[in-house]
Amino acid sequence: MQTSRTPQYEPPAPSPLAGRTALVTGAASGIGLACAQALAAAGAHVHVVDKEGEAARSLAERIGGTAWVADLSVAEAVDALPADADIVVNNAGLQHVAPVHEFPPDRFTLIHRVMVEAPFRILRRTLPGMYERGWGRVVNISSVHGLRASPYKSAYVSAKHALEGLSKVVALEAAPHGVTSNCVNPGYVRTPLVENQIADQARSHGISEQEVVGKVLLERSALKSLIEPDDVAGAVLWLCGPGTSHITGSSLAMDGGWTAN
C-alpha cells in the first residue's frame, strides 16, 4: 500500500543578479530597453541612461531603477553618470549613411563621441569599483558591422570596430580582477530606427517592406528575419550570469549566418 508523502518545501531560487547594479546606455528604447528590463527582472538595480528624459523616467519607474538623462556626446554629462555599476552595457548609438567623400565631419565626430568615447569614459570610472569588489561584467552592444563593413557607413563601422578593440583591451586588463568584457554582435534588430529604414527603402525602391527585409537588409544573412530586441537582451543577460566567468574578449555574433559567408 502506497503512503502519501508531504512534498518538501523548496525555497525559490535567488535572482541571479540580486544585489548587483547595472548601467545601460540608450536604455529608453530598442535593445537598451530590452536589456534594462531583463537585468532588472534578474534582480539588478538598473541605471537607465538616455537623452530622452520622459522615456527614461517612465522605464525606470516600471522596473524600479534610476533614470539618468544624459547626452553622451557631452563629456561632462558622461562623467556625471554613477560609477557604482557592477554591470555596464554600452548600447547607445546612432547612424548616418553617406559616401565617405560626402560624409559630414561633424556627424562623424558625433557618432564616435557617443559610440567610442562615451563607453571609454564610462568604463574609466566604473572599472575601479568592479576591481575593488572582485566582480564585474562589461557587455558592449557592437554589431555585425563591428566584424564586417558595408558601404556608406564609415562612421558607424569604424566606431563599432573601435568598440571591439576597446572591449578586448578591457578584457585583458580586467581579467585578474574577476571582470569580463565582451561584445554582442547582432545583425539587423527590430527597433524603431530599423523599421523606419525599412519603410523609407520600401517607398524609395517601390517594393514591399518584406522584400526590403529579405533582399536588401538581410541579403547576406542566411536567416531572413529581423532579430528581436529580447533575443539580444537574452545574450547580454547570459554573459552576466553564472557559468560565463571564462568568456571574455569575445564577440558573440547574432547575425543569422551573415559572417558565415
Side-chain angles (χ1 to χ4, degrees):
M1 178 179 178
Q2 256 187 342
T3 57
S4 61
R5 294 174 57 188
T6 303
Q8 292 185 341
Y9 169 73
E10 294 185 6
S15 300
L17 298 179
R20 303 294 189 190
T21 299
L23 185 150
V24 182
T25 66
S29 65
I31 294 171
L33 185 151
C35 290
Q37 291 178 325
L39 292 166
H45 179 87
V46 180
H47 293 304
V48 176
V49 179
D50 205 286
K51 66 178 182 178
E52 301 296 335
E54 185 176 345
R57 286 187 284 268
S58 175
L59 174 61
E61 184 177 353
R62 293 200 307 273
I63 65 174
T66 304
W68 296 83
V69 183
D71 182 346
L72 298 186
S73 69
V74 179
E76 293 78 10
V78 179
D79 291 344
L81 294 174
D84 64 340
D86 304 296
I87 297 165
V88 169
V89 180
N90 287 309
N91 166 72
L94 64 157
Q95 178 65 280
H96 186 87
V97 178
V100 170
H101 66 282
E102 296 177 0
F103 210 100
D106 58 342
R107 196 69 176 171
F108 189 97
T109 300
L110 172 66
I111 288 172
H112 276 251
R113 280 181 179 165
V114 172
M115 295 169 58
V116 184
E117 183 178 337
F120 159 74
R121 286 182 173 275
I122 289 169
L123 293 174
R124 182 176 179 273
R125 297 183 65 247
T126 55
L127 283 172
M130 297 184 198
Y131 292 171
E132 184 178 343
R133 293 185 292 274
W135 192 92
R137 295 291 181 266
V138 177
V139 185
N140 301 297
I141 305 300
S142 181
S143 165
V144 68
H145 283 116
L147 307 172
R148 297 288 189 273
S150 290
Y152 312 119
K153 299 179 179 180
S154 57
Y156 187 88
V157 170
S158 59
K160 290 300 189 184
H161 275 67
L163 184 63
E164 294 276 334
L166 175 63
S167 183
K168 289 177 172 61
V169 170
V170 171
L172 296 177
E173 293 183 5
H177 306 283
V179 177
T180 66
S181 175
N182 294 285
C183 287
V184 175
N185 302 70
Y188 285 97
V189 181
R190 192 185 305 279
T191 63
L193 179 65
V194 169
E195 290 185 324
N196 288 336
Q197 289 180 24
I198 293 169
D200 290 343
Q201 293 208 32
R203 284 191 294 269
S204 63
H205 292 292
I207 59 178
S208 70
E209 293 189 2
Q210 290 78 10
E211 287 176 298
V212 171
V213 173
K215 296 181 180 179
V216 180
L217 298 187
L218 303 180
E219 179 186 5
R220 289 182 281 182
S221 175
L223 296 175
K224 303 300 183 183
S225 59
L226 297 176
I227 302 164
E228 299 299 331
D230 285 345
D231 291 341
V232 182
V236 172
L237 184 60
W238 175 69
L239 286 169
C240 296
T244 58
S245 61
H246 279 70
I247 300 175
T248 195
S250 297
S251 299
L252 178 60
M254 298 184 66
D255 59 7
W258 183 334
T259 51
N261 285 312

